[in-house]
Amino acid sequence: MLLRNTNRKWLLVVGLVMALGLLAGCVPADHTMDTPDLLEGNFWEKNVVYYFAITLDTFASWMGGSYVLAILLLTIVVRTLILPLTIKQFRSSKAMQALQPQMAEIKKKYKDNPQKQQEETMKLFQTHQVNPLAGCLPLIVQMPVFIALYNAIYWNKDIRTEEIFGVVLGEPSPWYFLPVLAALTTFIQSKMMQKQQTQQIPGMAMIMTIFPVLIFVMSLSFPAALPLYWVFSNTYTIVQNYFLYVRSSDKGKKEVLAK
């Protein structure tokens, strides 16, 4: 069962990457329209993309017409809204850490019976109401946001023509600056969580190592606004993880030493 859940997590990551790659190659670069025109489109356009487009337009109007600041504000709003899921992920991580001695005992006891080992481990999770896949929740919730933002950027001519440091938001970055920054911030946040995650799900260390590389490769072909969104989102996450993982861990170590 544990192995099956691990395979599902791998399939989830691969599926998300393939979906993003498909988007990169299937959306025509000259497909632009005004935001109200999205209401005449298909279900996705009028029920999802339209609301992201109108939100970005509204935020831009608040920010003096700057879509860069609008994307930053949208990022903060989205990340704050999914904060309860992130906290749930953090609590699940702590619970998994607390179960490590019992998991090690099960592994030792049933070292010659992998199936029984997995069964007993899942029983342990169920008894303590721990979900080993809780780490997927923030990523899953963010994916529709990312895809809708992708569409909103490609289809909004105002966003596509705005520039930041000479880079047009609707076109791939002509330099490696934004792709490298997106990959670097992804790497930093992955490293902050890696110590927590690799003790829980087999294969997570490899996923967290590969993911920054995938972000870099995809950012080379995506419109610059998307790696910019990644940079904003990753920066938020790095600050958040500092307080959740690093600072709380240091505080816990100090309390142990004080005793």
Side-chain angles (χ1 to χ4, degrees):
M1 183 66 71
L2 184 60
L3 181 60
R4 187 181 304 169
N5 286 335
T6 302
N7 290 336
R8 287 177 181 174
K9 193 158 191 175
W10 272 100
L11 290 173
L12 172 66
V13 173
V14 173
L16 294 177
V17 171
M18 291 178 64
L20 293 177
L22 183 64
L23 280 174
C26 294
V27 179
D30 59 350
H31 185 58
T32 59
M33 61 177 69
D34 294 324
T35 298
D37 294 337
L38 290 169
L39 292 174
E40 305 299 324
N42 57 36
F43 178 86
W44 172 256
E45 292 172 357
K46 64 185 179 182
N47 291 289
V48 181
V49 180
Y50 169 77
Y51 292 101
F52 278 89
I54 199 69
T55 299
L56 283 171
D57 289 344
T58 301
F59 287 171
S61 68
W62 294 352
M63 301 295 175
S66 173
Y67 279 97
V68 172
L69 295 179
I71 293 173
L72 173 60
L73 182 56
L74 177 65
T75 303
I76 293 173
V77 170
V78 170
R79 295 296 310 186
T80 303
L81 287 176
I82 68 172
L83 187 57
L85 290 179
T86 305
I87 293 174
K88 182 177 181 180
Q89 174 191 358
F90 169 72
R91 289 173 177 169
S92 177
S93 172
K94 287 298 183 182
M96 291 285 287
Q97 280 188 321
L99 294 178
Q100 287 299 313
Q102 293 169 264
M103 293 170 63
E105 185 64 27
I106 291 174
K107 187 175 182 179
K108 180 180 179 181
K109 183 177 181 180
Y110 300 104
K111 61 181 179 179
D112 297 324
N113 191 341
Q115 183 176 353
K116 183 65 175 179
Q117 183 182 135
Q118 293 171 14
E119 291 175 358
E120 292 299 317
T121 301
M122 291 309 299
K123 286 181 182 179
L124 182 66
F125 290 160
Q126 292 170 1
T127 300
H128 294 272
Q129 297 182 340
V130 173
N131 181 7
L133 299 181
C136 291
L137 291 176
L139 178 62
I140 294 173
V141 171
Q142 280 196 90
M143 289 314 298
V145 175
F146 183 83
I147 295 172
L149 181 61
Y150 181 96
N151 295 145
I153 290 166
Y154 251 116
W155 297 343
N156 188 312
K157 54 189 176 185
D158 295 324
I159 300 178
R160 288 183 59 190
T161 56
E162 183 164 337
E163 297 183 8
I164 176 173
F165 304 127
V167 177
V168 181
L169 292 185
E171 299 176 2
S173 177
W175 314 307
Y176 291 149
F177 174 69
L178 282 176
V180 167
L181 198 56
L184 179 61
T185 52
T186 301
F187 176 79
I188 292 172
Q189 70 153 326
S190 296
K191 278 296 181 182
M192 293 177 74
M193 297 179 62
Q194 195 168 22
K195 186 177 180 180
Q196 306 289 330
Q197 299 293 339
T198 53
Q199 295 176 354
Q200 300 170 17
I201 304 294
M204 277 305 295
M206 184 176 295
I207 292 176
M208 289 183 173
T209 301
I210 293 175
F211 201 56
V213 178
L214 295 176
I215 293 294
F216 173 76
V217 173
M218 290 186 292
S219 295
L220 292 176
S221 58
F222 281 162
L226 294 179
L228 181 65
Y229 167 79
W230 259 323
V231 171
F232 289 155
S233 181
N234 290 341
T235 302
Y236 184 109
T237 305
I238 289 169
V239 175
Q240 168 188 277
N241 286 349
Y242 171 77
F243 288 100
L244 285 179
Y245 293 102
V246 179
R247 189 170 179 179
S248 64
S249 178
D250 291 342
K251 183 179 179 181
K253 289 178 181 178
K254 289 180 180 178
E255 290 177 352
V256 171
L257 291 174
K259 294 178 182 180

